[in-house]
Amino acid sequence: MDRSELAPLIDHTVLGPETSIADVRRVVDEAGEYGMNACIPPFALEEMAEYAPDVTLATVIGFPHGQHSAAAKRREGVLAWKAGADELDVVINVGRLKAGEIDVVRAELAEVTAAVPIPVKVIIETALLTDEEKRRACEAADAADAAMVKTSTGFADGGATVADVELMSEYLPVKASGGVGSYDEAMAMLAAGAERIGASSGVEILEGAPE
C-alpha cells in the first residue's frame, strides 16, 4: 500500500495529559500535509475546526477510563459534535463490562450514538479484557449502532495486537490503536482486518510507506 492510499486510514493522534494547543496544531498541520485524519482532545475542537476545516477531526469521549456517567458521555458527545468533531471515539465502562453488566454498557453506548449524527467508534481497551469479554464488548457496540470498534486508549499496558484485530473484525470495522509505530506494524494490522490505524506516529508510519 503506498503513502497516498494509507494516509486516509490513519488517525494521527495527540492525547497525552500535557497536550497543549501548540501540540494539537502541529498534529493537525501534519495530518493536513500528509492527508491523514487527526484525533485530538475535545478542548481543541472548535479552534481546530476553524483552523483546518479540510482535516477530518476525531475526538475522545469518556477518556481515558470510561467511567463517566452515561449522561456525561452523551452530553460530551453532543458538545464535541457541535464544536466540530467529525467522529467520536468513546471509551466503554470496562468495570461494568467485566462485572457482566452488558445491558448497561450497551445502553450507555446507544445513548451516545443516538445523540449525534456522526460516526462513533467504541474503545474497548483490549489489554484489560479476556477474549470472551472482547466479544461481549463488540456485540454491545454493534447493538448500539456504533460504526467501529477500537482496540485501546493507549493508557493501559498493552495495545493493538493482530489477534485482537482479527477477533474484533468479526463484528465491526476495527481501528487498531496503541503501539502501532511503523509502516510494517500498520500493514500487519490492516492485513488482520483493521480499517483504521490510530497512532501518534502517523508521520513515521507514512515515511516508511512506498511513494
Side-chain angles (χ1 to χ4, degrees):
M1 182 177 291
D2 67 28
R3 192 174 297 178
S4 64
E5 293 171 315
L6 179 57
L9 306 183
I10 296 175
D11 288 359
H12 192 34
T13 302
V14 57
L15 294 170
E18 297 179 346
T19 296
S20 68
I21 196 67
D23 297 326
V24 176
R25 191 176 294 111
R26 172 185 57 79
V27 164
V28 170
D29 283 342
E30 290 170 348
E33 177 183 353
Y34 284 84
M36 297 180 285
N37 317 304
C39 187
I40 64 174
F43 83 88
L45 278 170
E46 192 166 1
E47 182 173 339
M48 290 301 104
E50 182 175 346
Y51 173 73
D54 295 330
V55 174
T56 296
L57 298 178
T59 197
V60 286
I61 304 298
F63 195 83
H65 300 308
Q67 294 174 332
H68 301 50
S69 70
K73 286 181 179 177
R74 181 183 65 248
R75 181 63 175 157
E76 192 178 1
V78 170
L79 289 173
W81 162 55
K82 290 183 176 179
D86 298 298
E87 300 176 350
L88 305 179
D89 291 17
V90 181
V91 187
I92 66 164
N93 188 316
V94 172
R96 287 195 180 277
L97 177 72
K98 294 185 78 69
E101 300 174 34
I102 194 66
D103 289 343
V104 177
V105 173
R106 181 174 57 249
E108 178 181 279
L109 295 173
E111 283 199 47
V112 179
T113 60
V116 295
I118 55 178
V120 173
K121 312 184 200 85
V122 175
I123 308 173
I124 71 170
E125 202 68 287
T126 50
L128 303 179
L129 305 178
T130 66
D131 282 354
E132 181 56 34
E133 288 166 344
K134 293 166 196 173
R135 291 186 181 280
R136 289 202 295 268
C138 290
E139 289 167 356
D142 189 22
D145 291 327
M148 189 172 286
V149 281
K150 176 178 170 181
T151 54
S152 314
T153 61
F155 280 79
D157 290 337
T161 68
V162 164
D164 285 341
V165 170
E166 288 175 344
L167 182 154
M168 295 163 65
S169 64
E170 296 175 18
Y171 298 90
L172 284 169
V174 177
K175 176 177 172 179
S177 183
V180 183
S182 70
Y183 172 74
D184 288 343
E185 290 169 345
M187 292 308 295
M189 296 301 164
L190 294 172
E195 297 187 20
R196 192 81 64 88
I197 302 294
S200 58
S201 305
V203 172
E204 290 82 356
I205 291 170
L206 289 177
E207 291 292 344
E211 295 186 26

Coordinates of all heavy atoms in Angstrom, one line a residue, residues 135 165-172 174:
R135 N -15.4 -10.1 23.0 CA -16.6 -10.4 22.2 C -17.9 -9.7 22.7 O -18.6 -9.2 21.9 CB -16.8 -11.9 22.1 CG -15.7 -12.6 21.3 CD -16.0 -14.1 21.1 NE -14.9 -14.8 20.4 CZ -14.7 -14.7 19.1 NH1 -15.6 -14.1 18.3 NH2 -13.7 -15.3 18.5
V165 N -7.3 -7.7 16.6 CA -8.0 -7.2 15.4 C -8.7 -8.2 14.7 O -9.9 -8.0 14.2 CB -6.9 -6.5 14.5 CG1 -7.5 -6.1 13.2 CG2 -6.3 -5.3 15.2
E166 N -8.2 -9.4 14.6 CA -8.9 -10.5 13.9 C -10.2 -10.8 14.6 O -11.2 -11.0 14.0 CB -8.0 -11.7 13.8 CG -6.8 -11.6 12.9 CD -5.9 -12.8 12.9 OE1 -5.9 -13.5 13.9 OE2 -5.1 -12.9 12.0
L167 N -10.2 -10.9 15.9 CA -11.4 -11.2 16.7 C -12.4 -10.1 16.5 O -13.6 -10.4 16.2 CB -11.0 -11.4 18.2 CG -12.1 -11.7 19.2 CD1 -11.5 -12.5 20.4 CD2 -12.9 -10.5 19.7
M168 N -12.0 -8.8 16.7 CA -12.9 -7.7 16.7 C -13.5 -7.5 15.3 O -14.7 -7.1 15.2 CB -12.2 -6.5 17.2 CG -11.8 -6.5 18.6 SD -10.5 -5.3 19.0 CE -11.5 -3.7 18.8
S169 N -12.8 -7.8 14.3 CA -13.3 -7.6 12.9 C -14.4 -8.6 12.5 O -15.0 -8.4 11.5 CB -12.1 -7.6 11.9 OG -11.5 -8.9 11.8
E170 N -14.6 -9.5 13.3 CA -15.8 -10.4 13.1 C -17.1 -9.7 13.3 O -18.2 -10.1 12.9 CB -15.7 -11.6 14.0 CG -14.5 -12.6 13.8 CD -14.5 -13.7 14.8 OE1 -15.5 -13.9 15.5 OE2 -13.4 -14.3 15.0
Y171 N -17.0 -8.5 14.0 CA -18.2 -7.8 14.5 C -18.4 -6.5 13.7 O -19.5 -6.2 13.2 CB -18.2 -7.6 16.0 CG -18.1 -8.9 16.8 CD1 -16.9 -9.5 17.1 CD2 -19.3 -9.5 17.2 CE1 -16.9 -10.7 17.8 CE2 -19.3 -10.7 17.9 CZ -18.1 -11.2 18.2 OH -18.0 -12.4 18.9
L172 N -17.4 -5.7 13.7 CA -17.5 -4.3 13.2 C -16.1 -3.9 12.6 O -15.1 -4.6 12.9 CB -17.8 -3.3 14.3 CG -19.2 -3.2 14.8 CD1 -19.3 -2.4 16.0 CD2 -20.2 -2.7 13.7
V174 N -12.6 -2.2 12.4 CA -11.7 -2.0 13.6 C -10.7 -0.9 13.4 O -10.1 -0.8 12.3 CB -10.9 -3.3 13.8 CG1 -9.9 -3.2 15.0 CG2 -11.9 -4.5 14.1

